[in-house]
Structures are given as C-alpha cells and as structure tokens.
Amino acid sequence: EQQLLETGGGSVQAGGSLRLSCTHSGLPSDDYPMGWYRQAPGKEREEVACIDLHSDNTIYADSVKGRFSISKDAATKTTYLQMNSLKPDDTAIYYCAALPVARLTSAYCAVSWGQIHAYWGRGTQVTVSS
C-alpha cells in the first residue's frame, strides 16, 4: 500500500519557521521526484516546491522563493520543506506528493498534472498568525 505521511505542521506567528517532513513507503519506486503543495481555505490547491531525487533540480513557486527550501534524504525516504519568514498567506493544508516520472520538469510539478497522476499524502495543517 502506497503511503505518504506528512508531519511537522502547526501554528506559528508571522516571521517564524516550520519544517515539514514527508516519509513515503510502498511506492512502485523510491526514486520519484517529490513535491509539496498547499491548499488554503476557499482556494485551489497550488504547487509550492518540487525536487528531483537524482539531481539538485528544484522548482519553487514565486510566492515562496527565498523563504522555503525543499530537500530530500534518500536513505530515510524523507522529503523536507523548510519554511522561513512565514506569512499569514502561507496558512494552508500542506500536502506531499510523489510524482511517478523519471525526471522532474516544471510540467510534472504542476498541480494539474499531479492531481491526476501523483501519489498524495493526507496533508498537515500550517497556520500562521499575524
């Protein structure tokens, strides 16, 4: 059974930091690119960041560039999202996804592709207060 488990969400004041973790198991491959996505109340899900497990290729949404950092630990099958300088607009449920392709491209990181093809976790709530 494919499982992706997100942890590390919580409540923080604006300007604070959180680190999200996503551990996966049971996927057809441990080498899939990984992505972080978020969905705020009343809004559509959007991509936040993606990473290719075989290279240093990363993709970030403009809204988080310079503040968020995605990384991976292949040995523990864990993908991280370090979130700094958090803003109230970052409040959302954050989802981890495994992208079943060989190499990451911006097209595969897009949420429109992921909603059809990716393996998803159940999400973790991040709340940023002003």
Side-chain angles (χ1 to χ4, degrees):
E1 179 184 1
Q2 300 92 354
Q3 287 191 328
L4 294 91
L5 179 62
E6 304 97 334
T7 59
S11 297
V12 65
Q13 289 191 326
S17 298
L18 284 172
R19 189 176 80 155
L20 305 182
S21 300
C22 170
T23 302
H24 67 267
S25 62
L27 297 176
S29 171
D30 290 331
D31 297 332
Y32 292 150
M34 300 294 293
W36 284 98
Y37 302 80
R38 67 186 182 186
Q39 187 164 14
K43 295 187 177 180
E44 295 186 351
R45 192 172 299 189
E46 61 179 3
E47 52 272 7
V48 175
C50 295
I51 187 166
D52 191 308
L53 268 61
H54 288 288
S55 71
D56 292 331
N57 185 24
T58 55
I59 298 172
Y60 292 94
D62 288 343
S63 59
V64 305
K65 282 181 181 178
R67 300 188 299 122
F68 291 11
S69 178
I70 188 171
S71 61
K72 80 277 188 183
D73 183 338
T76 61
K77 302 180 185 179
T78 302
T79 305
Y80 301 98
L81 184 69
Q82 178 67 44
M83 305 186 295
N84 299 326
S85 302
L86 282 161
K87 305 174 182 179
D89 284 348
D90 295 318
T91 295
I93 300 174
Y94 283 71
Y95 299 90
C96 170
L99 312 176
V101 293
R103 290 293 183 267
L104 177 65
T105 68
S106 57
Y108 293 138
C109 184
V111 66
S112 56
W113 187 89
Q115 285 180 324
I116 298 172
H117 302 287
Y119 300 94
W120 291 91
R122 294 188 175 185
T124 185
Q125 176 70 48
V126 171
T127 302
V128 184
S129 58
S130 57

